[in-house]
Amino acid sequence: DTEVTQTPKHLVMGMTNKKSLKCEQHMGHRAMYWYKQKAKKPPELMFVYSYEKLSINESVPSRFSPECPNSSLLNLHLHALQPEDSALYLCASSRPQGVAGTEAFFGQGTRLTVV
Amino acid sequence: GENVEQHPSTLSVQEGDSAVIKCTYSDSASNYFPWYKQELGKRPQLIIDIRSNVGEKKDQRIAVTLNKTAKHFSLHITETQPEDSAVYFCAARGILSGGYNKLIFGAGTRLAVHP
């Protein structure tokens, strides 16, 4: 199984809503990531979890709150978002650095629209 | 900070021709260089990667070369086909304290292969 599964595929939310994005992988990867991708731009790193601990927060606003309940799951909790937060949110996983075969596998993404 | 520059931003070729995309990176400690292909509305998919202890790697019509001294790496696609049309991203793995895995992406190259 080389899949990273993200749900939902599409999400429309109002600026006062609270929603969550979910990501799951069963490749035994102990590093998981959230990226944000705007149209015609490269993925932009938001958060990195390594062994279920938050290791990198790229100065992301607090309206985005990541959570890693276990080694297979990664969530991104959303609250009070702005229209400019509309983007494709990608989850990825890999073996932590220092272990052979550290390629990152991406999920299909959640296309988020904030209205 | 770490930076990856990618050129060209767009590339148009005739079917059967070769395509070359070039990237340079700033962090001399980077040791892993993947290439991703992203079709419209889909996830980035790893197509080939190279590690810093190797100068060249080939997989059928795709090859990647790495010049560590010059901090350059390139993607070569031979005998291009219309299905090669996509956006291609190069990336370099930045080395952070604690050994965390952080990919830094180039801005992307939109490749169009015309029949």
Side-chain angles (χ1 to χ4, degrees), chain B residues 60-98:
Chain B
Q60 299 182 353
R61 296 186 297 109
I62 295 173
V64 57
T65 58
L66 172 65
N67 182 330
K68 281 176 57 181
T69 304
K71 292 190 276 188
H72 287 171
F73 57 114
S74 300
L75 178 71
H76 304 253
I77 306 174
T78 57
E79 300 171 30
T80 52
Q81 300 167 2
E83 50 266 37
D84 294 329
S85 299
V87 178
Y88 291 80
F89 293 103
C90 64
R93 185 175 68 194
I95 309 296
L96 302 175
S97 61

Side-chain angles (χ1 to χ4, degrees), chain A residues 41-89:
Chain A
K41 296 288 186 184
E44 185 183 326
L45 185 65
M46 300 173 72
F47 302 104
V48 180
Y49 273 83
S50 183
Y51 294 96
E52 295 88 71
K53 286 188 168 48
L54 182 64
S55 56
I56 298 176
N57 176 341
E58 292 284 271
S59 303
V60 179
S62 59
R63 57 186 185 268
F64 295 91
S65 175
E67 179 196 18
C68 189
N70 60 54
S71 60
S72 299
L73 294 175
L74 184 67
N75 299 322
L76 186 63
H77 303 298
L78 313 172
H79 174 53
L81 295 194
Q82 303 296 311
E84 58 264 29
D85 295 321
S86 299
L88 181 67
Y89 287 84

